[in-house]
Amino acid sequence: MLEFLRKLDPFRLLIVAIIAFLVRFYWFTDEVYIIPSLQWLSVGEMMGFQKVLYKDIWTSLEPFSAGMYYIIEYLFGKSIMALRILSLLLCLIQAFLFNYYVTQTNIYDQRTSYPAFFYVLFSSINYDFFTLSPVQMGLTFMLPVMYFLFKDVRMGEKSRNHFFAGACLGVASLFYLPFACFIIFIVYSFFVFSSFDFKRFFQLLFAFLFPWLMVFSYYYLNGSFYEVVENLIKGTLYTAPVYYADFFSIIKVGLPSTVIAVLAFMYVTSQSKFLNFQYSSMKIMIMWFLNGLFAFLIMKEWGFFNIYIVVPVFTFFTVFLFIEIERAWLRESIFWTIAILLILIHLHNKRIDTDHARSNNSSILVLRNAEVRYDGTPIQGSNILLLGDNPAALIHNKQSTIYADWNLALRHFGNLNDYENISNIYTNLLENKPDYILDNISMMPQLMERIPELKTVYQPSYDKKVYKRVK
């Protein structure tokens, strides 16, 4: 396999694309959905009703990502399949871009298809990498940042590299906010590995801030600047994270790839036969990895898909390793050992989480045929309000109030003894009048005491977990 991919030409890149499709093929017909993808599409669906993001839709989903989910929902409906296909296409685009960038800057000593191949491999280490996520979309614009850094240390300092790197970082952070903290990594890399002065620093900073200024200006003119700060910025930095996977489970998924990259780095640096710019590129990718770990501190959603942020690092060092191993049999043996290990871990994690989903006990997966019922009658095609989390309700229904994110909704629902909160809830509920209110936290009885009119509008199910609008 590796001997065949050792050279670079369109036919070999086509083989890489076929491998990527085969790796993800089982996921196209799988029986489970990833919960965050339902919530992302739900936000896009709500935007289709002429609602202003953050003002009429309380969410901390980044604006460019929300816009993409709106376009996807508009073109394909609330299609999880569309997210999976688009994720595959974007993975291939990123793999080919990564291959192109390292080839153009001569990071490796030979032109090879390894970078694209190993990028596909490491972007398949867990099943939730197979759906289109904000971190994957944002990473598309982080790869040019890597290219401009490599270009700077390889070909000498050019001021426009700083500007373009800042602009790409600004766009990437509008897809996935934690990328904003990479400004530290970029400034440090330019400062250490090239001639960097205050003029170029302000070029980079202005280019980074410009996309954000455009977004803030748009919402300011729409009278919703305050909501952007509260829901996007504060909602990401200060509200409690949503844990689709616990910390140790995330480490368990990311650790094998990290160990491979670390061993590759140790082996490669022991060879002592690289040029200065190659050592500088290695240091840049180490900084990328460290900054990626730091980004976890401001992630709003904790899931396996966040590991995608360091896929380029895994790929970068692993390619160095397999290029440096001269004996074909040893290279192939190590590769197949790594590939089989990653496949087994992937399938093991998928089986465990699918079993949890079947028992309705998974924090990240929900069965495709899951549904919610009102006294035995399925609820489909209705406007709903969720009190607490109920991802199954989002498969066949749409949210109709501003409360798209329960953690943000707690600003109103967190204290029902506050008159202003009750007034806001009253306005939002009775203006939108959702067809059903799904109460997973037994809050509705207390809410009806505070707003007696709800008793005449909504009728509870026998278990008092679903409330149907009757007038």
Side-chain angles (χ1 to χ4, degrees):
M1 173 69 79
L2 292 186
E3 193 63 30
F4 172 76
L5 294 172
R6 195 172 182 88
K7 295 181 181 179
L8 176 63
D9 57 52
F11 176 71
R12 286 170 172 80
L13 292 180
L14 176 62
I15 296 301
V16 170
I18 294 173
I19 292 172
F21 173 77
L22 294 176
V23 167
R24 297 179 178 227
F25 179 75
Y26 85 92
W27 189 243
F28 291 137
T29 58
D30 203 74
E31 62 175 324
V32 293
Y33 289 159
I34 294 175
I35 290 174
S37 64
L38 288 171
Q39 296 169 331
W40 299 329
L41 278 177
S42 179
V43 171
E45 184 180 46
M46 295 174 74
M47 291 176 66
F49 295 96
Q50 307 299 318
K51 293 186 176 183
V52 178
L53 194 65
Y54 308 122
K55 182 180 180 180
D56 303 322
I57 307 171
W58 281 18
T59 179
S60 55
L61 183 63
E62 292 78 3
F64 283 10
S65 291
M68 286 301 302
Y69 291 122
Y70 162 69
I71 294 172
I72 293 169
E73 198 281 331
Y74 178 80
L75 294 176
F76 307 107
K78 197 186 289 185
S79 172
I80 301 297
M81 178 65 72
L83 293 187
R84 294 171 178 174
I85 294 173
L86 291 172
S87 175
L88 169 61
L89 295 177
L90 190 57
C91 171
L92 290 175
I93 290 172
Q94 291 174 352
F96 296 156
L97 279 176
F98 186 88
N99 210 121
Y100 172 78
Y101 290 151
V102 295
T103 301
Q104 286 294 105
T105 50
N106 296 317
I107 295 299
Y108 305 115
D109 292 333
Q110 56 186 270
R111 295 169 59 87
T112 173
S113 303
Y114 284 0
F117 174 71
F118 281 105
Y119 195 99
V120 167
L121 176 67
F122 285 113
S123 62
S124 307
I125 61 176
N126 204 62
Y127 58 85
D128 65 347
F129 284 26
F130 294 173
T131 193
L132 190 66
S133 64
V135 62
Q136 186 185 18
M137 290 188 281
L139 191 60
T140 307
F141 294 89
M142 287 300 297
L143 292 178
V145 174
M146 178 198 73
Y147 172 61
F148 291 125
L149 289 170
F150 287 172
K151 189 177 178 183
D152 206 71
V153 299
R154 173 69 178 88
M155 303 175 184
E157 176 272 322
K158 291 184 180 180
S159 60
R160 64 176 179 270
N161 290 341
H162 305 80
F163 182 86
F164 292 144
C168 289
L169 178 64
V171 173
S173 61
L174 285 167
F175 278 101
Y176 187 63
L177 186 58
F179 278 131
C181 72
F182 273 64
I183 189 71
I184 303 170
F185 146 72
I186 294 175
V187 170
Y188 175 84
S189 298
F190 276 124
F191 182 78
V192 172
F193 302 116
S194 69
S195 177
F196 196 57
D197 54 27
F198 280 107
K199 176 184 175 182
R200 294 182 178 89
F201 170 76
F202 284 112
Q203 283 180 334
L204 188 155
L205 189 62
F206 173 78
F208 167 70
L209 292 175
F210 183 76
W212 279 94
L213 291 174
M214 294 297 98
V215 170
F216 282 146
S217 298
Y218 168 79
Y219 284 106
Y220 176 79
L221 294 174
N222 277 278
S224 54
F225 179 78
Y226 172 79
E227 286 80 4
V228 173
V229 174
E230 287 294 317
N231 293 325
L232 176 59
I233 308 300
K234 291 185 178 180
T236 298
L237 299 179
Y238 300 122
T239 60
V242 179
Y243 291 97
Y244 296 114
D246 62 80
F247 179 72
F248 293 104
S249 296
I250 294 174
I251 290 180
K252 185 175 67 175
V253 169
L255 188 59
S257 300
T258 302
V259 170
I260 292 168
V262 170
L263 292 177
F265 168 73
M266 294 173 63
Y267 175 79
V268 168
T269 53
S270 68
Q271 302 301 300
S272 302
K273 63 177 183 179
F274 298 105
L275 300 176
N276 285 337
F277 83 90
Q278 291 175 309
Y279 282 116
S280 296
S281 68
M282 294 179 192
K283 294 174 184 177
I284 287 171
M285 296 311 286
I286 292 173
M287 284 296 300
W288 181 307
F289 180 78
L290 295 176
N291 219 145
L293 296 181
F294 177 73
F296 268 85
L297 298 177
I298 60 172
M299 289 177 180
K300 177 66 168 60
E301 299 172 316
W302 280 60
F304 305 119
F305 52 84
N306 290 322
I307 302 172
Y308 209 104
I309 203 171
V310 288
V311 164
V313 181
F314 297 154
T315 305
F316 180 84
F317 289 111
T318 305
V319 171
F320 262 121
L321 172 66
F322 284 98
I323 286 178
E324 291 303 311
I325 297 176
E326 296 180 355
R327 297 175 181 174
W329 68 268
L330 180 60
R331 188 166 57 241
E332 293 288 341
S333 299
I334 294 175
F335 162 70
W336 284 110
T337 301
I338 292 174
I340 292 172
L341 173 66
L342 294 178
I343 291 171
L344 290 177
I345 293 174
H346 177 119
L347 295 176
H348 172 73
N349 293 334
K350 173 65 167 49
R351 181 183 60 80
I352 290 177
D353 288 338
T354 300
D355 289 342
H356 288 163
R358 290 183 182 130
S359 60
N360 198 28
N361 192 33
S362 175
S363 59
I364 193 169
L365 294 178
V366 62
L367 292 179
R368 181 172 55 184
N369 59 0
E371 58 186 5
V372 291
R373 294 173 177 267
Y374 176 83
D375 289 346
T377 303
I379 301 174
Q380 296 186 0
S382 301
N383 296 322
I384 60 173
L385 167 66
L386 300 181
L387 300 181
D389 296 318
N390 194 336
L394 298 176
I395 299 176
H396 303 293
N397 303 284
K398 53 183 176 288
Q399 301 184 83
S400 62
T401 66
I402 65 173
Y403 306 116
D405 185 316
W406 179 244
N407 281 352
L408 297 178
L410 288 174
R411 294 212 304 267
H412 285 172
F413 290 93
N415 182 8
L416 296 183
N417 294 318
D418 185 281
Y419 175 79
E420 185 177 356
N421 287 346
I422 294 299
S423 177
N424 288 326
I425 294 172
Y426 175 88
T427 301
N428 288 314
L429 273 182
L430 296 181
E431 277 188 1
N432 295 283
K433 286 190 176 180
D435 300 319
Y436 293 91
I437 299 177
L438 287 81
D439 183 14
N440 275 10
I441 55 175
S442 302
M443 180 179 283
M444 198 62 179
Q446 185 182 0
L447 195 59
M448 285 181 163
E449 289 181 8
R450 299 293 187 273
I451 309 175
E453 188 174 345
L454 292 178
K455 295 180 181 180
T456 64
V457 178
Y458 288 94
Q459 177 179 321
S461 61
Y462 68 90
D463 57 2
K464 294 188 178 179
K465 289 186 178 182
V466 181
Y467 293 75
K468 179 180 180 181
R469 181 165 62 87
V470 293
K471 61 180 293 187

